[in-house]
Amino acid sequence: MDFLNDDVTEKGKRDAKRAVRAAYRELATAHHWSYLYTQRQLTTSASYTTGTIDYAHTGGTYERQVTLASGTWPTWAAQGYIIISNVAYEVATRESATVITLSVNSNPGADVAAATTYTLYRDTYSLPTDFTAMSVLCDTNNASYPRFVDPTTYFEYRRASLTPATPQYFTVIGAADYMGAMTLKLYPPPDSAVTYDYCYLRRPRALVIEEYSTGTATVTASS
C-alpha cells in the first residue's frame, strides 16, 4: 500500500489484492517445487463387445439410439466411442442398461440393421482439477511405460487404427465438456482394465477469501 501510495480505501485494497495474487502466481510457476508434485493412479476400462446392436437414427424412444440385443452397457459408456463397420462414433448418453445415444455430430446418419457387431471402448480419462503437467505413465502390473506424444501426433495415430489393444502412447489435452479441465488420451484404446501410476505437477490452491466477517455463527458442542 505504501509502494502504491494508496490510502486504506476500496481502490487501494483492490490494488493490494491484485498484487498479492500476481505474486502468488509468479512464485508458484517460478520453479518446479517438490511440494507441488503428487502421485495418483488411473484405471482404464476394458473394451466391450458382448451381444449385437441395432441403430435407429430417428423414430426410436430417443434420437440416434443404439440398442443392445444382449448384455449390459458399461456404466462408463457415455465417456466412450462405439465402432460400427470400422468407423468410431462418439457416445452422447447412456439412457439405460441396453440403450445409448450417439452424438448429433458423430453418428452413421442412417439406420443400422439388427444383429450388427460392434466394439465399445474408452480412450479418454479425466485428470485432477489441479493438474498442470506430467511426464511419465507407468503400468503397475508389468512396469511398461506408454510414451508421451503431442496431441497432433496422437490424432494421426488414432486415424490409422481404432482396434483396442495395449496402449503404447498417451497425450494430454483439454477436456471437451469442462472449461479449464484436462484429460489423458491413450492409444491404442485399452482392451483391458489396467492401473497406471503417474506423478503430476499441480497448481497451488487458489487464494479466494482473505477475510469474511458478515453475520454471526454457531457451533455444535463436541463436533
Side-chain angles (χ1 to χ4, degrees):
M1 298 289 283
D2 289 340
F3 177 80
L4 295 171
N5 197 27
D6 271 326
D7 295 325
V8 185
T9 61
E10 285 305 312
K11 177 184 180 302
K13 290 179 181 177
R14 289 197 301 272
D15 289 341
K17 290 176 185 177
R18 280 196 292 270
V20 168
R21 291 183 178 127
Y24 187 61
R25 288 192 298 269
E26 183 177 349
L27 178 65
T29 58
H31 178 73
H32 284 178
W33 305 106
S34 298
Y35 173 75
L36 294 178
Y37 280 100
T38 189
Q39 183 180 5
R40 284 287 183 91
Q41 286 190 332
L42 177 151
T43 301
T44 62
S45 302
S47 56
Y48 190 78
T49 58
T50 300
T52 59
I53 56 103
D54 70 81
Y55 172 72
H57 191 63
T58 60
T61 304
Y62 307 95
E63 295 295 292
R64 304 176 303 279
Q65 173 178 310
V66 181
T67 304
L68 187 61
S70 61
T72 300
W73 289 125
T75 56
W76 53 263
Q79 286 80 51
Y81 289 82
I82 187 169
I83 300 174
I84 304 173
S85 300
N86 296 319
V87 179
Y89 301 105
E90 182 182 2
V91 178
T93 61
R94 181 186 187 273
E95 301 293 347
S96 69
T98 57
V99 174
I100 59 175
T101 64
L102 302 185
S103 167
V104 65
N105 297 316
S106 178
N107 60 75
D111 291 353
V112 174
T116 297
T117 58
Y118 72 95
T119 299
L120 181 73
Y121 70 84
R122 181 183 179 189
D123 65 355
T124 304
Y125 299 84
S126 297
L127 292 168
T129 56
D130 60 355
F131 176 93
T132 61
M134 64 180 290
S135 57
V136 176
L137 191 67
C138 177
D139 180 344
T140 59
N141 292 330
N142 55 29
S144 65
Y145 295 85
R147 186 160 62 90
F148 175 81
V149 294
D150 64 80
T152 300
T153 303
Y154 166 84
F155 284 109
E156 289 176 355
Y157 288 165
R158 189 173 181 271
R159 282 193 290 270
S161 173
L162 294 171
T163 304
T166 300
Q168 301 297 315
Y169 305 96
F170 77 95
T171 194
V172 174
I173 195 170
D177 300 326
Y178 301 101
M179 183 64 69
M182 303 298 288
T183 59
L184 180 140
K185 288 180 173 288
L186 293 164
Y187 179 83
D191 60 351
S192 60
V194 175
T195 299
Y196 290 95
D197 278 330
Y198 66 96
C199 183
Y200 77 97
L201 182 66
R202 58 189 171 91
R203 67 174 61 90
R205 181 175 60 84
L207 300 178
V208 180
I209 298 174
E210 72 284 348
E211 180 182 341
Y212 188 82
S213 58
T214 300
T216 60
T218 59
V219 297
T220 301
S222 302
S223 69

